Amino acid sequence: MGINDEREIKLTTDRLILREFNENDFVAVHAYASDIENIKYMIWGPNSEDDTVEFLVECIENANKNPRKQYDFAVTLKDTGNVIGGCGIYLNDTLDEAMLGWVLHKNYWKKGYMTEVGKELVRFAFEELKLHRLYATCDAENYGSYRVMENIGMRREGHAIKNRKVVGYKDEYHDELFYGILKEEWNEKQNK
């Protein structure tokens, strides 16, 4: 687990490898990013082909920035290398707090993959990036996402009413849930 010597970051879990995106990931990324069912709770998409190309270009450019504020990873199956989703850590301007995000192709939902991803993102953020706090948000109807947040040790910090305009529901606003975890809370859970 951790950072490779070549500067490219690769994180591993029991079943997954989280690696940096590259231009060869277009087909797999577009498969989940262009499917309305897959992204119905997101504030972006569904992606056109140009949107997906732009996303991949931005990920590659962000990986080379110094200081680096965005860490986007392709979620790949360890045994096949197939890309099944994406995730990321997005740092604030003071580089001590970050937002977590993830998306998974619907064919891989309800298999525990995102909990594995989330736990590794939290570990990386606190141990290697030395962050103070992490947070994440989701549509209040997105049970899968908020269960991941709870499973990785985050606590619900808030519930905003009709705060989030969601792509899958034209001109509708949904409630948004806010979750967070501090480094000391995570450390305490690791020592149990």
Side-chain angles (χ1 to χ4, degrees):
M1 288 195 259
I3 300 176
N4 290 350
D5 292 335
E6 300 97 38
R7 189 174 144 97
E8 183 174 325
I9 299 169
K10 190 179 284 187
L11 308 174
T12 60
T13 71
D14 289 341
R15 301 178 292 167
L16 305 168
I17 295 174
L18 313 182
R19 62 157 175 82
E20 305 212 49
F21 283 105
N22 63 60
E23 59 278 347
N24 297 323
D25 294 327
F26 174 82
V27 172
V29 171
H30 197 64
Y32 64 75
S34 64
D35 185 328
I36 189 67
E37 182 182 352
N38 210 86
I39 56 95
K40 69 182 175 181
Y41 295 118
M42 301 297 182
I43 57 173
W44 54 267
N47 279 10
S48 66
E49 289 186 358
D50 288 344
D51 293 333
T52 300
V53 168
E54 184 178 324
F55 167 75
L56 291 171
V57 167
E58 286 177 9
C59 289
I60 293 164
E61 288 173 355
N62 287 331
N64 295 312
K65 290 185 178 175
N66 190 10
R68 185 167 180 184
K69 292 174 64 177
Q70 291 191 211
Y71 294 82
D72 284 291
F73 300 107
V75 176
T76 68
L77 294 173
K78 194 183 269 187
D79 59 349
T80 65
N82 292 344
V83 175
I84 62 169
C87 63
I89 301 172
Y90 310 100
L91 280 73
N92 66 358
D93 288 338
T94 58
L95 307 177
D96 63 351
E97 179 182 41
M99 180 177 75
L100 300 178
W102 47 72
V103 60
L104 187 66
H105 191 288
K106 64 187 178 188
N107 291 351
Y108 298 92
W109 290 353
K110 299 182 181 179
K111 298 181 187 318
Y113 289 126
M114 273 302 127
T115 296
E116 270 185 55
V117 166
K119 286 179 179 179
E120 180 58 13
L121 289 178
V122 171
R123 185 209 62 78
F124 177 71
F126 287 143
E127 286 186 0
E128 297 187 42
L129 298 180
K130 308 296 186 199
L131 300 182
H132 160 70
R133 180 178 182 275
L134 295 171
Y135 68 95
T137 70
C138 72
D139 186 296
E141 293 181 20
N142 190 347
Y143 174 80
S145 193
Y146 70 73
R147 284 299 296 149
V148 168
M149 294 178 212
E150 292 166 356
N151 288 338
I152 66 175
M154 299 179 93
R155 78 190 122 57
R156 188 177 293 184
E157 295 182 331
H159 182 149
I161 307 300
K162 293 190 177 184
N163 187 58
R164 184 182 183 103
K165 193 166 186 175
V166 182
V167 173
Y169 302 90
K170 298 294 180 204
D171 299 319
E172 277 188 35
Y173 285 87
H174 285 206
D175 291 5
E176 185 171 20
L177 301 177
F178 296 82
Y179 282 77
I181 187 170
L182 298 170
K183 183 175 184 176
E184 58 256 32
E185 292 173 314
W186 181 78
N187 284 339
E188 187 177 301
K189 291 176 185 187
Q190 301 313 300
N191 294 326
K192 286 187 177 182

